[in-house]
Amino acid sequence: MELGLQIPDFTWPNGATALGPELAAVARTADQAGFGYVAVMDHFFQIRGVGPAEHDMLEAYTTLGFLAAHTERAKLLTVITGVHYRHPALLAKAMTTLDVLSGGRAMIGLGAGWNEEESRGLGFPFPPVAERFERLEETLQYLLQMWSDNDGPFNGQHYQAERLMNVPQALSKPHPPIMVGGGGEKKTLRLVAKYAQACNVFNTPDLEHKLDVLKQHCENEGRDYDDITKTVYHLIDTGENGEKTSELIDELGRLHGLGFSAAIGMVPQVPRLDVLERIGSDVIPVASAF
């Protein structure tokens, strides 16, 4: 069972002037501690549940490039990019660039998006949910063509292009792994089965049911269910002084028993490096032995 650190909050005690060196230290420490993934959200305003909209937020793909320079092992991704934020050509080039410059450690997390407040606030188009899912599937097709030998045109309902040339190509083969995030049973998990190498769902009471739905979609698509990496969003919380370590390990064991191979989530005490080091010494070795 791998752990992934998602960093959703950049309102840190020392402010924006210290954010660069402190974020670099967090990334290095997590990488050295054995976290298999280092992730950020793809938002422009802070989201409910984490903090007020006015809290500090960094642009995701610029941040991932910065993190690539301060890590050596961990996969780098967003959990999760809203499909309406970037044209698929820009997204493909950003991901390819990240993959090349990180030595093949890029992974794309993609979903239909939801945050109408920031979209309206900054002027991003925010189509109805049905259209966002149409764009999500079309973007997945667009990305796969960009990462193939086919540099011909693309003619979709929402996106048209004359030549999908992508040079240099990604180092990851056959392409950077694709994660489709969300637990929607009719559309999202079907897209996982059809296009993705990984899924990410929240740790809710219906997890087993979600996996059963994904398994059925895999059967419908002629896809091997075991080829899909199942990841779950779960708080990586050992407590202020490590008092919740056993509880976290027990939950990771339960999730592994359900079929999940990675838990990705925020560590509440970040940017404290000692907390990441404690997870590296007390949790990751146990979880990796599941």
mmCIF file with all atom_site columns, all heavy atoms in Angstrom, residues 28 38-39 43 81 85 136 154 158 163 172 199 219 243 253 260 266-268 275 283 289:
data_model
loop_
_atom_site.group_PDB
_atom_site.id
_atom_site.type_symbol
_atom_site.label_atom_id
_atom_site.label_alt_id
_atom_site.label_comp_id
_atom_site.label_asym_id
_atom_site.label_entity_id
_atom_site.label_seq_id
_atom_site.pdbx_PDB_ins_code
_atom_site.Cartn_x
_atom_site.Cartn_y
_atom_site.Cartn_z
_atom_site.occupancy
_atom_site.B_iso_or_equiv
_atom_site.pdbx_formal_charge
_atom_site.auth_seq_id
_atom_site.auth_comp_id
_atom_site.auth_asym_id
_atom_site.auth_atom_id
_atom_site.pdbx_PDB_model_num
ATOM 1   N N   . ARG A 1 28  ? 10.932  17.540 -0.786  1.00 0.00 ? 28  ARG A N   1
ATOM 2   C CA  . ARG A 1 28  ? 12.117  16.699 -0.580  1.00 0.00 ? 28  ARG A CA  1
ATOM 3   C C   . ARG A 1 28  ? 11.894  15.715 0.558   1.00 0.00 ? 28  ARG A C   1
ATOM 4   O O   . ARG A 1 28  ? 12.244  14.529 0.456   1.00 0.00 ? 28  ARG A O   1
ATOM 5   C CB  . ARG A 1 28  ? 13.332  17.569 -0.288  1.00 0.00 ? 28  ARG A CB  1
ATOM 6   C CG  . ARG A 1 28  ? 13.942  18.258 -1.495  1.00 0.00 ? 28  ARG A CG  1
ATOM 7   C CD  . ARG A 1 28  ? 15.316  18.822 -1.172  1.00 0.00 ? 28  ARG A CD  1
ATOM 8   N NE  . ARG A 1 28  ? 15.239  19.829 -0.121  1.00 0.00 ? 28  ARG A NE  1
ATOM 9   C CZ  . ARG A 1 28  ? 15.105  21.130 -0.348  1.00 0.00 ? 28  ARG A CZ  1
ATOM 10  N NH1 . ARG A 1 28  ? 15.010  21.582 -1.600  1.00 0.00 ? 28  ARG A NH1 1
ATOM 11  N NH2 . ARG A 1 28  ? 15.059  21.985 0.659   1.00 0.00 ? 28  ARG A NH2 1
ATOM 12  N N   . VAL A 1 38  ? 3.260   12.726 -4.976  1.00 0.00 ? 38  VAL A N   1
ATOM 13  C CA  . VAL A 1 38  ? 3.129   14.083 -4.445  1.00 0.00 ? 38  VAL A CA  1
ATOM 14  C C   . VAL A 1 38  ? 2.170   14.813 -5.375  1.00 0.00 ? 38  VAL A C   1
ATOM 15  O O   . VAL A 1 38  ? 2.403   14.877 -6.591  1.00 0.00 ? 38  VAL A O   1
ATOM 16  C CB  . VAL A 1 38  ? 4.478   14.816 -4.358  1.00 0.00 ? 38  VAL A CB  1
ATOM 17  C CG1 . VAL A 1 38  ? 4.269   16.259 -3.893  1.00 0.00 ? 38  VAL A CG1 1
ATOM 18  C CG2 . VAL A 1 38  ? 5.429   14.090 -3.395  1.00 0.00 ? 38  VAL A CG2 1
ATOM 19  N N   . ALA A 1 39  ? 1.102   15.329 -4.812  1.00 0.00 ? 39  ALA A N   1
ATOM 20  C CA  . ALA A 1 39  ? 0.013   15.876 -5.622  1.00 0.00 ? 39  ALA A CA  1
ATOM 21  C C   . ALA A 1 39  ? -0.403  17.239 -5.104  1.00 0.00 ? 39  ALA A C   1
ATOM 22  O O   . ALA A 1 39  ? -0.192  17.585 -3.933  1.00 0.00 ? 39  ALA A O   1
ATOM 23  C CB  . ALA A 1 39  ? -1.190  14.926 -5.589  1.00 0.00 ? 39  ALA A CB  1
ATOM 24  N N   . HIS A 1 43  ? -6.971  24.053 -8.455  1.00 0.00 ? 43  HIS A N   1
ATOM 25  C CA  . HIS A 1 43  ? -7.952  25.102 -8.181  1.00 0.00 ? 43  HIS A CA  1
ATOM 26  C C   . HIS A 1 43  ? -7.248  26.448 -8.178  1.00 0.00 ? 43  HIS A C   1
ATOM 27  O O   . HIS A 1 43  ? -6.025  26.529 -8.039  1.00 0.00 ? 43  HIS A O   1
ATOM 28  C CB  . HIS A 1 43  ? -8.664  24.860 -6.847  1.00 0.00 ? 43  HIS A CB  1
ATOM 29  C CG  . HIS A 1 43  ? -9.665  23.751 -6.907  1.00 0.00 ? 43  HIS A CG  1
ATOM 30  N ND1 . HIS A 1 43  ? -10.850 23.850 -7.610  1.00 0.00 ? 43  HIS A ND1 1
ATOM 31  C CD2 . HIS A 1 43  ? -9.651  22.502 -6.372  1.00 0.00 ? 43  HIS A CD2 1
ATOM 32  C CE1 . HIS A 1 43  ? -11.523 22.717 -7.500  1.00 0.00 ? 43  HIS A CE1 1
ATOM 33  N NE2 . HIS A 1 43  ? -10.823 21.880 -6.765  1.00 0.00 ? 43  HIS A NE2 1
ATOM 34  N N   . THR A 1 81  ? -7.595  17.592 -11.888 1.00 0.00 ? 81  THR A N   1
ATOM 35  C CA  . THR A 1 81  ? -7.777  18.699 -12.825 1.00 0.00 ? 81  THR A CA  1
ATOM 36  C C   . THR A 1 81  ? -9.207  18.723 -13.368 1.00 0.00 ? 81  THR A C   1
ATOM 37  O O   . THR A 1 81  ? -9.702  17.699 -13.842 1.00 0.00 ? 81  THR A O   1
ATOM 38  C CB  . THR A 1 81  ? -6.785  18.579 -13.990 1.00 0.00 ? 81  THR A CB  1
ATOM 39  O OG1 . THR A 1 81  ? -5.501  19.035 -13.565 1.00 0.00 ? 81  THR A OG1 1
ATOM 40  C CG2 . THR A 1 81  ? -7.201  19.399 -15.186 1.00 0.00 ? 81  THR A CG2 1
ATOM 41  N N   . TYR A 1 85  ? -10.781 23.677 -17.425 1.00 0.00 ? 85  TYR A N   1
ATOM 42  C CA  . TYR A 1 85  ? -9.802  24.720 -17.130 1.00 0.00 ? 85  TYR A CA  1
ATOM 43  C C   . TYR A 1 85  ? -8.783  24.932 -18.253 1.00 0.00 ? 85  TYR A C   1
ATOM 44  O O   . TYR A 1 85  ? -8.186  26.004 -18.339 1.00 0.00 ? 85  TYR A O   1
ATOM 45  C CB  . TYR A 1 85  ? -9.035  24.392 -15.849 1.00 0.00 ? 85  TYR A CB  1
ATOM 46  C CG  . TYR A 1 85  ? -9.847  24.494 -14.585 1.00 0.00 ? 85  TYR A CG  1
ATOM 47  C CD1 . TYR A 1 85  ? -9.690  23.557 -13.569 1.00 0.00 ? 85  TYR A CD1 1
ATOM 48  C CD2 . TYR A 1 85  ? -10.753 25.521 -14.399 1.00 0.00 ? 85  TYR A CD2 1
ATOM 49  C CE1 . TYR A 1 85  ? -10.413 23.645 -12.395 1.00 0.00 ? 85  TYR A CE1 1
ATOM 50  C CE2 . TYR A 1 85  ? -11.495 25.612 -13.229 1.00 0.00 ? 85  TYR A CE2 1
ATOM 51  C CZ  . TYR A 1 85  ? -11.319 24.673 -12.230 1.00 0.00 ? 85  TYR A CZ  1
ATOM 52  O OH  . TYR A 1 85  ? -12.042 24.758 -11.076 1.00 0.00 ? 85  TYR A OH  1
ATOM 53  N N   . LEU A 1 136 ? -14.875 15.794 -21.005 1.00 0.00 ? 136 LEU A N   1
ATOM 54  C CA  . LEU A 1 136 ? -13.942 14.897 -20.319 1.00 0.00 ? 136 LEU A CA  1
ATOM 55  C C   . LEU A 1 136 ? -13.596 13.708 -21.207 1.00 0.00 ? 136 LEU A C   1
ATOM 56  O O   . LEU A 1 136 ? -12.413 13.385 -21.394 1.00 0.00 ? 136 LEU A O   1
ATOM 57  C CB  . LEU A 1 136 ? -14.557 14.422 -18.997 1.00 0.00 ? 136 LEU A CB  1
ATOM 58  C CG  . LEU A 1 136 ? -13.748 13.384 -18.211 1.00 0.00 ? 136 LEU A CG  1
ATOM 59  C CD1 . LEU A 1 136 ? -12.343 13.876 -17.905 1.00 0.00 ? 136 LEU A CD1 1
ATOM 60  C CD2 . LEU A 1 136 ? -14.496 13.025 -16.912 1.00 0.00 ? 136 LEU A CD2 1
ATOM 61  N N   . PHE A 1 154 ? -7.861  16.092 -35.352 1.00 0.00 ? 154 PHE A N   1
ATOM 62  C CA  . PHE A 1 154 ? -8.832  15.634 -34.351 1.00 0.00 ? 154 PHE A CA  1
ATOM 63  C C   . PHE A 1 154 ? -10.135 16.356 -34.622 1.00 0.00 ? 154 PHE A C   1
ATOM 64  O O   . PHE A 1 154 ? -10.165 17.592 -34.673 1.00 0.00 ? 154 PHE A O   1
ATOM 65  C CB  . PHE A 1 154 ? -8.338  15.933 -32.937 1.00 0.00 ? 154 PHE A CB  1
ATOM 66  C CG  . PHE A 1 154 ? -9.226  15.377 -31.859 1.00 0.00 ? 154 PHE A CG  1
ATOM 67  C CD1 . PHE A 1 154 ? -8.995  14.114 -31.342 1.00 0.00 ? 154 PHE A CD1 1
ATOM 68  C CD2 . PHE A 1 154 ? -10.298 16.111 -31.356 1.00 0.00 ? 154 PHE A CD2 1
ATOM 69  C CE1 . PHE A 1 154 ? -9.807  13.587 -30.344 1.00 0.00 ? 154 PHE A CE1 1
ATOM 70  C CE2 . PHE A 1 154 ? -11.120 15.603 -30.371 1.00 0.00 ? 154 PHE A CE2 1
ATOM 71  C CZ  . PHE A 1 154 ? -10.866 14.330 -29.858 1.00 0.00 ? 154 PHE A CZ  1
ATOM 72  N N   . HIS A 1 158 ? -16.537 18.981 -29.433 1.00 0.00 ? 158 HIS A N   1
ATOM 73  C CA  . HIS A 1 158 ? -16.147 20.196 -28.724 1.00 0.00 ? 158 HIS A CA  1
ATOM 74  C C   . HIS A 1 158 ? -14.753 20.698 -29.090 1.00 0.00 ? 158 HIS A C   1
ATOM 75  O O   . HIS A 1 158 ? -14.449 21.874 -28.871 1.00 0.00 ? 158 HIS A O   1
ATOM 76  C CB  . HIS A 1 158 ? -16.224 19.963 -27.208 1.00 0.00 ? 158 HIS A CB  1
ATOM 77  C CG  . HIS A 1 158 ? -17.583 19.594 -26.734 1.00 0.00 ? 158 HIS A CG  1
ATOM 78  N ND1 . HIS A 1 158 ? -18.615 20.500 -26.646 1.00 0.00 ? 158 HIS A ND1 1
ATOM 79  C CD2 . HIS A 1 158 ? -18.097 18.387 -26.337 1.00 0.00 ? 158 HIS A CD2 1
ATOM 80  C CE1 . HIS A 1 158 ? -19.705 19.891 -26.197 1.00 0.00 ? 158 HIS A CE1 1
ATOM 81  N NE2 . HIS A 1 158 ? -19.418 18.617 -26.000 1.00 0.00 ? 158 HIS A NE2 1
ATOM 82  N N   . ARG A 1 163 ? -3.528  19.182 -36.504 1.00 0.00 ? 163 ARG A N   1
ATOM 83  C CA  . ARG A 1 163 ? -2.355  18.310 -36.416 1.00 0.00 ? 163 ARG A CA  1
ATOM 84  C C   . ARG A 1 163 ? -1.945  18.151 -34.954 1.00 0.00 ? 163 ARG A C   1
ATOM 85  O O   . ARG A 1 163 ? -1.423  19.075 -34.350 1.00 0.00 ? 163 ARG A O   1
ATOM 86  C CB  . ARG A 1 163 ? -1.190  18.874 -37.214 1.00 0.00 ? 163 ARG A CB  1
ATOM 87  C CG  . ARG A 1 163 ? -0.001  17.920 -37.296 1.00 0.00 ? 163 ARG A CG  1
ATOM 88  C CD  . ARG A 1 163 ? 1.182   18.567 -38.008 1.00 0.00 ? 163 ARG A CD  1
ATOM 89  N NE  . ARG A 1 163 ? 2.284   17.624 -38.144 1.00 0.00 ? 163 ARG A NE  1
ATOM 90  C CZ  . ARG A 1 163 ? 3.534   17.963 -38.495 1.00 0.00 ? 163 ARG A CZ  1
ATOM 91  N NH1 . ARG A 1 163 ? 3.816   19.236 -38.767 1.00 0.00 ? 163 ARG A NH1 1
ATOM 92  N NH2 . ARG A 1 163 ? 4.469   17.053 -38.579 1.00 0.00 ? 163 ARG A NH2 1
ATOM 93  N N   . SER A 1 172 ? 7.295   8.384  -20.263 1.00 0.00 ? 172 SER A N   1
ATOM 94  C CA  . SER A 1 172 ? 6.480   7.271  -19.766 1.00 0.00 ? 172 SER A CA  1
ATOM 95  C C   . SER A 1 172 ? 5.846   6.538  -20.938 1.00 0.00 ? 172 SER A C   1
ATOM 96  O O   . SER A 1 172 ? 5.325   7.166  -21.858 1.00 0.00 ? 172 SER A O   1
ATOM 97  C CB  . SER A 1 172 ? 5.376   7.794  -18.843 1.00 0.00 ? 172 SER A CB  1
ATOM 98  O OG  . SER A 1 172 ? 5.912   8.425  -17.711 1.00 0.00 ? 172 SER A OG  1
ATOM 99  N N   . CYS A 1 199 ? -7.945  5.044  -10.807 1.00 0.00 ? 199 CYS A N   1
ATOM 100 C CA  . CYS A 1 199 ? -9.111  5.786  -10.340 1.00 0.00 ? 199 CYS A CA  1
ATOM 101 C C   . CYS A 1 199 ? -8.786  6.387  -8.986  1.00 0.00 ? 199 CYS A C   1
ATOM 102 O O   . CYS A 1 199 ? -7.836  5.980  -8.311  1.00 0.00 ? 199 CYS A O   1
ATOM 103 C CB  . CYS A 1 199 ? -10.345 4.884  -10.238 1.00 0.00 ? 199 CYS A CB  1
ATOM 104 S SG  . CYS A 1 199 ? -10.226 3.597  -8.979  1.00 0.00 ? 199 CYS A SG  1
ATOM 105 N N   . GLU A 1 219 ? -15.946 -5.173 -17.184 1.00 0.00 ? 219 GLU A N   1
ATOM 106 C CA  . GLU A 1 219 ? -16.467 -6.317 -17.936 1.00 0.00 ? 219 GLU A CA  1
ATOM 107 C C   . GLU A 1 219 ? -17.164 -5.838 -19.204 1.00 0.00 ? 219 GLU A C   1
ATOM 108 O O   . GLU A 1 219 ? -16.991 -6.436 -20.282 1.00 0.00 ? 219 GLU A O   1
ATOM 109 C CB  . GLU A 1 219 ? -17.431 -7.116 -17.060 1.00 0.00 ? 219 GLU A CB  1
ATOM 110 C CG  . GLU A 1 219 ? -16.758 -7.857 -15.911 1.00 0.00 ? 219 GLU A CG  1
ATOM 111 C CD  . GLU A 1 219 ? -17.760 -8.638 -15.071 1.00 0.00 ? 219 GLU A CD  1
ATOM 112 O OE1 . GLU A 1 219 ? -18.932 -8.750 -15.495 1.00 0.00 ? 219 GLU A OE1 1
ATOM 113 O OE2 . GLU A 1 219 ? -17.363 -9.130 -13.987 1.00 0.00 ? 219 GLU A OE2 1
ATOM 114 N N   . GLU A 1 243 ? -0.213  10.164 18.012  1.00 0.00 ? 243 GLU A N   1
ATOM 115 C CA  . GLU A 1 243 ? -1.170  9.354  18.765  1.00 0.00 ? 243 GLU A CA  1
ATOM 116 C C   . GLU A 1 243 ? -2.199  8.648  17.885  1.00 0.00 ? 243 GLU A C   1
ATOM 117 O O   . GLU A 1 243 ? -2.862  7.712  18.335  1.00 0.00 ? 243 GLU A O   1
ATOM 118 C CB  . GLU A 1 243 ? -1.881  10.219 19.812  1.00 0.00 ? 243 GLU A CB  1
ATOM 119 C CG  . GLU A 1 243 ? -2.798  11.299 19.255  1.00 0.00 ? 243 GLU A CG  1
ATOM 120 C CD  . GLU A 1 243 ? -2.081  12.599 18.908  1.00 0.00 ? 243 GLU A CD  1
ATOM 121 O OE1 . GLU A 1 243 ? -0.826  12.614 18.942  1.00 0.00 ? 243 GLU A OE1 1
ATOM 122 O OE2 . GLU A 1 243 ? -2.775  13.586 18.589  1.00 0.00 ? 243 GLU A OE2 1
ATOM 123 N N   . GLY A 1 253 ? -4.857  -0.699 6.261   1.00 0.00 ? 253 GLY A N   1
ATOM 124 C CA  . GLY A 1 253 ? -4.982  -2.145 6.082   1.00 0.00 ? 253 GLY A CA  1
ATOM 125 C C   . GLY A 1 253 ? -6.366  -2.536 5.590   1.00 0.00 ? 253 GLY A C   1
ATOM 126 O O   . GLY A 1 253 ? -6.513  -3.411 4.720   1.00 0.00 ? 253 GLY A O   1
ATOM 127 N N   . PHE A 1 260 ? -7.564  -1.498 -2.678  1.00 0.00 ? 260 PHE A N   1
ATOM 128 C CA  . PHE A 1 260 ? -6.859  -0.257 -2.982  1.00 0.00 ? 260 PHE A CA  1
ATOM 129 C C   . PHE A 1 260 ? -5.362  -0.443 -2.797  1.00 0.00 ? 260 PHE A C   1
ATOM 130 O O   . PHE A 1 260 ? -4.919  -1.092 -1.844  1.00 0.00 ? 260 PHE A O   1
ATOM 131 C CB  . PHE A 1 260 ? -7.365  0.878  -2.096  1.00 0.00 ? 260 PHE A CB  1
ATOM 132 C CG  . PHE A 1 260 ? -8.764  1.300  -2.423  1.00 0.00 ? 260 PHE A CG  1
ATOM 133 C CD1 . PHE A 1 260 ? -9.849  0.775  -1.732  1.00 0.00 ? 260 PHE A CD1 1
ATOM 134 C CD2 . PHE A 1 260 ? -9.010  2.199  -3.453  1.00 0.00 ? 260 PHE A CD2 1
ATOM 135 C CE1 . PHE A 1 260 ? -11.140 1.145  -2.043  1.00 0.00 ? 260 PHE A CE1 1
ATOM 136 C CE2 . PHE A 1 260 ? -10.304 2.573  -3.776  1.00 0.00 ? 260 PHE A CE2 1
ATOM 137 C CZ  . PHE A 1 260 ? -11.371 2.046  -3.079  1.00 0.00 ? 260 PHE A CZ  1
ATOM 138 N N   . MET A 1 266 ? -4.235  14.751 2.211   1.00 0.00 ? 266 MET A N   1
ATOM 139 C CA  . MET A 1 266 ? -3.470  15.786 2.880   1.00 0.00 ? 266 MET A CA  1
ATOM 140 C C   . MET A 1 266 ? -2.945  15.279 4.216   1.00 0.00 ? 266 MET A C   1
ATOM 141 O O   . MET A 1 266 ? -3.525  14.368 4.825   1.00 0.00 ? 266 MET A O   1
ATOM 142 C CB  . MET A 1 266 ? -4.316  17.044 3.089   1.00 0.00 ? 266 MET A CB  1
ATOM 143 C CG  . MET A 1 266 ? -5.465  16.907 4.057   1.00 0.00 ? 266 MET A CG  1
ATOM 144 S SD  . MET A 1 266 ? -6.364  18.477 4.321   1.00 0.00 ? 266 MET A SD  1
ATOM 145 C CE  . MET A 1 266 ? -5.131  19.394 5.268   1.00 0.00 ? 266 MET A CE  1
ATOM 146 N N   . VAL A 1 267 ? -1.834  15.843 4.651   1.00 0.00 ? 267 VAL A N   1
ATOM 147 C CA  . VAL A 1 267 ? -1.301  15.632 5.989   1.00 0.00 ? 267 VAL A CA  1
ATOM 148 C C   . VAL A 1 267 ? -1.594  16.910 6.764   1.00 0.00 ? 267 VAL A C   1
ATOM 149 O O   . VAL A 1 267 ? -1.068  17.976 6.416   1.00 0.00 ? 267 VAL A O   1
ATOM 150 C CB  . VAL A 1 267 ? 0.214   15.341 5.950   1.00 0.00 ? 267 VAL A CB  1
ATOM 151 C CG1 . VAL A 1 267 ? 0.780   15.286 7.365   1.00 0.00 ? 267 VAL A CG1 1
ATOM 152 C CG2 . VAL A 1 267 ? 0.481   14.021 5.216   1.00 0.00 ? 267 VAL A CG2 1
ATOM 153 N N   . PRO A 1 268 ? -2.454  16.857 7.790   1.00 0.00 ? 268 PRO A N   1
ATOM 154 C CA  . PRO A 1 268 ? -2.940  18.084 8.411   1.00 0.00 ? 268 PRO A CA  1
ATOM 155 C C   . PRO A 1 268 ? -1.845  19.019 8.928   1.00 0.00 ? 268 PRO A C   1
ATOM 156 O O   . PRO A 1 268 ? -2.029  20.232 8.919   1.00 0.00 ? 268 PRO A O   1
ATOM 157 C CB  . PRO A 1 268 ? -3.816  17.566 9.558   1.00 0.00 ? 268 PRO A CB  1
ATOM 158 C CG  . PRO A 1 268 ? -4.272  16.226 9.103   1.00 0.00 ? 268 PRO A CG  1
ATOM 159 C CD  . PRO A 1 268 ? -3.121  15.654 8.328   1.00 0.00 ? 268 PRO A CD  1
ATOM 160 N N   . VAL A 1 275 ? 6.540   15.717 10.936  1.00 0.00 ? 275 VAL A N   1
ATOM 161 C CA  . VAL A 1 275 ? 5.362   14.864 10.760  1.00 0.00 ? 275 VAL A CA  1
ATOM 162 C C   . VAL A 1 275 ? 5.542   13.969 9.537   1.00 0.00 ? 275 VAL A C   1
ATOM 163 O O   . VAL A 1 275 ? 5.240   12.765 9.582   1.00 0.00 ? 275 VAL A O   1
ATOM 164 C CB  . VAL A 1 275 ? 4.089   15.723 10.631  1.00 0.00 ? 275 VAL A CB  1
ATOM 165 C CG1 . VAL A 1 275 ? 2.881   14.849 10.325  1.00 0.00 ? 275 VAL A CG1 1
ATOM 166 C CG2 . VAL A 1 275 ? 3.857   16.520 11.906  1.00 0.00 ? 275 VAL A CG2 1
ATOM 167 N N   . VAL A 1 283 ? 4.770   4.669  9.443   1.00 0.00 ? 283 VAL A N   1
ATOM 168 C CA  . VAL A 1 283 ? 3.584   4.239  8.704   1.00 0.00 ? 283 VAL A CA  1
ATOM 169 C C   . VAL A 1 283 ? 3.945   3.592  7.371   1.00 0.00 ? 283 VAL A C   1
ATOM 170 O O   . VAL A 1 283 ? 3.475   2.478  7.065   1.00 0.00 ? 283 VAL A O   1
ATOM 171 C CB  . VAL A 1 283 ? 2.637   5.443  8.456   1.00 0.00 ? 283 VAL A CB  1
ATOM 172 C CG1 . VAL A 1 283 ? 1.412   5.000  7.654   1.00 0.00 ? 283 VAL A CG1 1
ATOM 173 C CG2 . VAL A 1 283 ? 2.213   6.073  9.771   1.00 0.00 ? 283 VAL A CG2 1
ATOM 174 N N   . ALA A 1 289 ? 4.145   -3.192 3.457   1.00 0.00 ? 289 ALA A N   1
ATOM 175 C CA  . ALA A 1 289 ? 4.211   -4.644 3.668   1.00 0.00 ? 289 ALA A CA  1
ATOM 176 C C   . ALA A 1 289 ? 2.856   -5.317 3.565   1.00 0.00 ? 289 ALA A C   1
ATOM 177 O O   . ALA A 1 289 ? 2.760   -6.549 3.638   1.00 0.00 ? 289 ALA A O   1
ATOM 178 C CB  . ALA A 1 289 ? 4.824   -4.936 5.045   1.00 0.00 ? 289 ALA A CB  1
#
